[in-house]
């Protein structure tokens, strides 16, 4: 061992393993020819108008070649175009829904004019006159057995309907 090598490595013993083979120099074929001194033009820079353009080394199966920065720029432009198309579509849908709501509100106003324009939205039932033989707070179900005249059907059908109206409000 030479003295210029690391002294720590000089202390490590070497072992020979039958499983490891050291690489050998390749044998050259008989028709070996060295490279010419002038190389043909690169296929990465095809005949372009701008010689300072980066080489288009990404190729597709169809023959399209581009540089990765050009592909990234195209993808960004496509993304911006899709984002603007999506925002335009959302705006159109929002306007469409607003127009539907306006048409429905106009239809409701046509059917009940003034109802949607005022703040008074409380409905109250019509007050009925209490039966003469009942107390104002008493129910017909609480009536005594001897006072069942209000519940008996009369001879005419109209009285029956009016009694039902009085009983159920």
């Amino acid at each position: 061992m030479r003295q210029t090598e690391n002294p720590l490595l000089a202390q490590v013993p070497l072992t020979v393993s039958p499983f490891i083979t050291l690489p050998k120099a390749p044998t050259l074929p008989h028709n070996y020819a060295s490279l010419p001194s002038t190389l043909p033009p690169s296929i990465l820079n095809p005949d372009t108008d701008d010689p300072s353009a980066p080489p288009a080394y990404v190729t597709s199966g169809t023959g399209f070649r581009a540089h990765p920065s050009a592909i990234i720029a195209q993808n960004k432009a496509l993304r911006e175009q899709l984002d603007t198309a999506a925002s335009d579509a959302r705006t159109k849908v929002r306007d469409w829904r607003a127009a539907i709501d306006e048409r429905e509100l106009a239809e409701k106003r046509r059917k009940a004019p003034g109802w949607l324009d005022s703040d008074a939205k409380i409905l109250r039932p019509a007050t009925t006159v209490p039966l003469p033989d009942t107390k104002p707070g008493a129910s017909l179900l609480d009536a005594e057995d001897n006072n069942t005249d209000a519940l008996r059907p009369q001879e005419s059908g109209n009285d029956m309907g009016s009694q039902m109206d009085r009983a159920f409000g």
Side-chain angles (χ1 to χ4, degrees):
M1 215 174 226
R2 294 185 303 203
Q3 292 184 352
T4 59
E5 291 182 12
N6 191 339
L8 292 176
L9 291 177
Q11 296 175 6
V12 176
L14 294 176
T15 60
V16 178
S17 172
F19 303 109
I20 298 175
T21 58
L22 295 176
K24 297 179 183 177
T27 57
L28 297 175
H30 297 289
N31 58 357
Y32 173 75
S34 62
L35 290 175
S37 61
T38 59
L39 295 175
S42 172
I43 63 168
L44 299 179
N45 275 335
D47 299 331
T48 59
D49 297 336
D50 187 11
S52 65
Y57 57 85
V58 177
T59 60
S60 69
T62 60
F64 174 75
R65 290 185 294 202
H67 190 268
S69 63
I71 294 172
I72 291 171
Q74 288 175 350
N75 287 342
K76 286 181 181 178
L78 178 62
R79 182 66 191 186
E80 289 174 4
Q81 181 183 4
L82 291 175
D83 289 342
T84 56
S87 65
D88 290 345
R90 281 192 293 271
T91 304
K92 286 181 182 180
V93 167
R94 188 173 47 246
D95 293 344
W96 176 64
R97 287 182 179 167
I100 288 173
D101 291 341
E102 287 176 12
R103 282 195 303 265
E104 287 177 355
L105 183 61
E107 181 68 20
K108 289 176 184 175
R109 283 188 174 143
R110 187 183 66 81
K111 289 181 180 176
W115 170 254
L116 296 173
D117 299 327
S118 66
D119 292 334
K121 301 283 190 229
I122 300 173
L123 295 176
R124 292 190 182 98
T127 58
T128 58
V129 179
L131 296 173
D133 49 345
T134 61
K135 297 176 187 172
S139 172
L140 287 177
L141 299 175
D142 295 336
E144 297 175 9
D145 290 340
N146 58 3
N147 190 8
T148 58
D149 294 337
L151 299 176
R152 277 198 202 121
Q154 301 282 329
E155 288 82 23
S156 68
N158 290 339
D159 289 337
M160 178 75 167
S162 64
Q163 285 181 1
M164 291 293 282
D165 288 341
R166 278 188 246 131
F168 296 103

